């Protein structure tokens, strides 16, 4: 059966992950320098955080800077790090007031020390908030994530706390950055590319994938709603047959 009509009109993706791509092309299209594109991207980010929280999304994971983005020109990397710091300092109070719990995932030791400190402070300040969880992936790579989990598991084996034969999916999952969270239901990528670019690899095994040509600085509430509509039109089978899924949904 094709999944065009809304299967679940009321269901909201509990966890949305977004690859926020297209800032550079937005800048070029608007005759601006790349940095202006990143600044415009911040505005879109602020808006989408608010929109997702308003809609009742439980967790929003945003890809802000990948392991591979270190390979960009040094000036761009430096200005991005400055921008992260500036935005963090400016926005943390508002996020806190909105009861949002902020968390960072990624190789934080690779980040400038000042940024690391502010990241930790933002996490601490919002730790007990009970609203939407906002996870910012900075210096993050899906391979890095799996690798650091495997190292943690290997250490347990080395220390004889775990037998190699007993390593199961949970052993790996419980050491990943998103441990303890329900995996993303919906992964959105803006900017027209149909690839994952080393974002969450393990966690998106069963995410619904939504690609849009809209460049990140142009991504607005209506675009988020289109992505959510797409999600609602999908039948999630997790390997089972459509008949099985529909019987259990009716029962
Ligand atoms: C995404 O936009 C932001 C980061 C990766 C930091 P890009 O900077 O990749 O924008 P394009 O892909 O060049 O348009
Ligand atoms: C993915 O975008 C990373 C982020 C959005 C942070 P890229 O622009 O780095 O991805 P590629 O290089 O086009 O695959
Ligand atoms: Mg890009």
């Amino acid at each position: 059966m094709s999944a065009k009509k809304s299967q679940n009109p009321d269901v909201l993706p509990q966890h949305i992950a977004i690859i926020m791509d297209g800032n550079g092309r937005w800048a070029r299209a608007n005759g601006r320098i790349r940095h202006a594109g990143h600044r415009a991207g911040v505005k879109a980010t602020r808006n989408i955080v608010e929109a997702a929280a308003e809609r009742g999304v439980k967790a929003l994971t945003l890809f802000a800077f990948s392991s591979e983005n270190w390979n960009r020109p040094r000036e761009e990397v430096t200005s991005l790090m400055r921008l992260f710091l500036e935005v963090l300092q400016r926005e943390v109070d508002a996020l806190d007031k909105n009861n949002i719990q902020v968390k960072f995932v990624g190789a934080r030791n690779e980040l400038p020390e000042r940024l690391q400190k502010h990241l930790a402070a933002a996490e601490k300040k919002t730790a007990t908030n009970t609203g939407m969880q906002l996870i910012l992936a900075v210096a993050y790579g899906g391979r890095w994530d799996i690798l650091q989990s495997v190292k943690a598991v290997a250490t347990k084996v080395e220390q004889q706390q775990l037998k190699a034969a007993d390593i199961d999916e949970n052993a790996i999952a419980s050491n990943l950055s998103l441990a303890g969270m329900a995996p993303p239901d919906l992964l959105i990528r803006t900017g027209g590319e149909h690839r994952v670019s080393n974002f969450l690899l393990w966690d998106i095994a069963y995410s619904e994938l939504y690609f849009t040509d809209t460049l990140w600085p142009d991504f607005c509430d209506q675009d988020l709603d289109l992505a959510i509509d797409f999600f609602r039109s999908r039948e999630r089978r997790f390997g089972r047959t459509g008949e099985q899924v529909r019987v259990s949904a009716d029962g």
Side-chain angles (χ1 to χ4, degrees), residues 21-22 25 72:
D21 194 25
R25 279 161 287 162
R72 292 193 176 194

Side-chain angles (χ1 to χ4, degrees), residues 95-223:
L95 291 167
D96 187 40
K97 277 203 187 81
N98 289 322
N99 198 22
I100 291 173
Q101 190 189 76
V102 186
K103 209 185 136 189
F104 295 90
V105 296
R108 46 176 94 201
N109 61 327
E110 293 175 3
L111 297 169
E113 248 171 60
R114 197 143 169 249
L115 181 56
Q116 288 186 42
K117 278 197 189 123
H118 277 86
L119 296 181
E123 287 180 325
K124 197 170 166 207
K125 190 176 175 102
T126 63
T128 57
N129 288 350
T130 54
M132 187 176 79
Q133 275 187 290
L134 174 64
I135 293 108
L136 298 173
V138 186
Y140 177 88
R143 288 177 179 173
W144 165 86
D145 203 356
I146 294 171
L147 194 61
Q148 61 85 26
S149 170
V150 167
K151 279 186 186 163
V153 173
T155 304
K156 281 189 195 139
V157 173
E158 217 169 50
Q159 295 171 347
Q160 300 188 340
Q161 294 166 19
L162 181 68
K163 286 194 183 127
D166 292 337
I167 297 172
D168 56 8
E169 287 191 8
N170 185 52
I172 303 292
S174 62
N175 286 289
L176 289 172
S177 298
L178 300 188
M181 292 181 62
D185 300 296
L186 172 64
L187 172 69
I188 298 171
R189 181 173 187 143
T190 64
E193 307 296 353
H194 293 205
R195 57 178 174 248
V196 173
S197 299
N198 198 16
F199 195 24
L200 309 160
L201 294 177
W202 179 284
D203 317 75
I204 59 169
Y206 270 101
S207 304
E208 300 298 329
L209 308 180
Y210 180 80
F211 299 99
T212 171
D213 289 339
T214 302
L215 303 171
W216 178 247
D218 291 328
F219 193 82
C220 64
D221 293 30
Q222 286 84 343
D223 298 303

Side-chain angles (χ1 to χ4, degrees), residues 51-67:
E54 272 169 12
R55 281 156 184 71
V57 170
K58 296 269 182 294
L60 180 67
T61 300
L62 301 177
F63 203 10
F65 191 87
S66 76
S67 311

